Amino acid sequence: MEPDRAPVPQARINEMIRAPKVRLVDDDGSQIGVKDTNEAREYAWGKNLDLVEVAAQADPPVAKVMDYGKYRYEQEQKAKLARKHQVSVNIKEIKLRPKIGIHDYNTKKGHVERFLNQRAKVKVTIMFRGREQSHPERGRDLLMRLAEDVKEIGQIESPPLQDGRNMVMLLGPTKNAGATKEDAKTEDTQRNEETLQGDGNGQAPPPQGAEGPSPREEIA
């Protein structure tokens, strides 16, 4: 089970600091200067705080006076937040046969479109059996046909490649993927606005210069 807190590298604190001297930084960030490590440790303990080595590679190492428990907690929270914001690549897989029927093809294509609209990548695999392996062009044609059918929301990230008995193609979402519903909503809103700009009866006003005939013209 994944631990609740992200692991944070351990820093040397108090008696664990091995350098004979350290460049001491106070808990408010002010520079105190180079001190004997024992003296710096006593100084930190006098404030009921810890001496923490924050830059071990410096010469001498930099050590800061701080509440180490609070520092660890803050670092763990930062690490957890960074891990949460990492972009995870979601890859779905769809398997097809070279001689797939039109109904099954449309069903599989629907799954591909749904995955792409969810901003997921789709690994499409053609499975060859027996003599089908002697006609890889059929699998390639099928994959390219699928790519063409979903080109509005999916783009080829890895072209069809033979992988043993299978042929694999990777599709990734385009910028239009997942925007279908929003586009439809915008279009409906624009249509409603055009209706409201009509004559009040739900009809758009006639174009300029196309008014109806005058009463005299009607009589004539």
Side-chain angles (χ1 to χ4, degrees):
M1 186 175 179
E2 187 180 358
D4 235 11
R5 295 183 177 181
V8 175
Q10 286 278 1
R12 293 193 183 99
I13 65 170
N14 301 327
E15 297 94 339
M16 295 172 63
I17 300 175
R18 300 170 186 172
K21 292 184 180 294
V22 294
R23 188 173 300 278
L24 186 61
V25 179
D26 212 342
D27 58 322
D28 60 0
S30 60
Q31 300 278 342
I32 296 178
V34 178
K35 296 287 184 183
D36 182 82
T37 302
N38 291 330
E39 183 183 350
R41 191 182 298 120
E42 291 296 333
Y43 178 83
W45 288 349
K47 290 191 166 190
N48 200 27
L49 295 172
D50 301 297
L51 184 67
V52 182
E53 189 179 62
V54 293
Q57 302 303 320
D59 185 21
V62 180
K64 186 175 182 180
V65 177
M66 67 174 74
D67 181 341
Y68 184 64
K70 181 180 178 182
Y71 169 77
R72 281 283 298 178
Y73 176 78
E74 290 173 350
Q75 294 300 308
E76 286 165 353
Q77 292 305 309
K78 287 179 182 178
K80 185 191 244 183
L81 190 62
R83 184 178 60 180
K84 182 179 179 181
H85 285 271
Q86 284 178 347
V87 178
S88 58
V89 179
N90 188 13
I91 299 180
K92 304 289 187 178
E93 184 172 10
I94 291 291
K95 295 183 178 181
L96 308 175
R97 294 294 309 282
K99 296 180 181 179
I100 188 171
I102 185 64
H103 176 75
D104 288 341
Y105 173 80
N106 288 330
T107 301
K108 299 283 188 178
K109 184 180 73 172
H111 293 328
V112 172
E113 291 172 336
R114 177 163 55 87
F115 294 146
L116 290 171
N117 280 320
Q118 293 171 354
R119 309 298 302 174
K121 296 186 179 186
V122 184
K123 177 183 176 183
V124 188
T125 303
I126 300 288
M127 300 181 298
F128 296 101
R129 291 181 183 174
R131 296 180 181 178
E132 292 174 347
Q133 297 181 58
S134 60
H135 297 283
E137 68 279 359
R138 293 178 181 174
R140 187 175 293 105
D141 291 345
L142 181 58
L143 290 175
M144 297 309 295
R145 171 188 170 190
L146 177 63
E148 178 66 21
D149 287 347
V150 301
K151 66 180 181 181
E152 292 299 323
I153 57 173
Q155 58 189 355
I156 298 176
E157 293 195 357
S158 177
L161 295 173
Q162 193 78 29
D163 182 17
R165 293 185 177 183
N166 300 331
M167 183 174 287
V168 178
M169 177 180 70
L170 183 65
L171 295 173
T174 66
K175 62 181 180 180
N176 294 328
T180 308
K181 292 182 180 179
E182 290 299 323
D183 291 345
K185 192 180 297 181
T186 303
E187 188 177 341
D188 289 342
T189 304
Q190 291 174 346
R191 190 180 295 114
N192 291 336
E193 289 175 352
E194 291 172 358
T195 302
L196 291 174
Q197 291 172 0
D199 60 2
N201 296 322
Q203 297 179 353
Q208 189 174 359
E211 293 83 357
S214 65
R216 182 172 297 177
E217 290 172 338
E218 287 178 352
I219 292 171

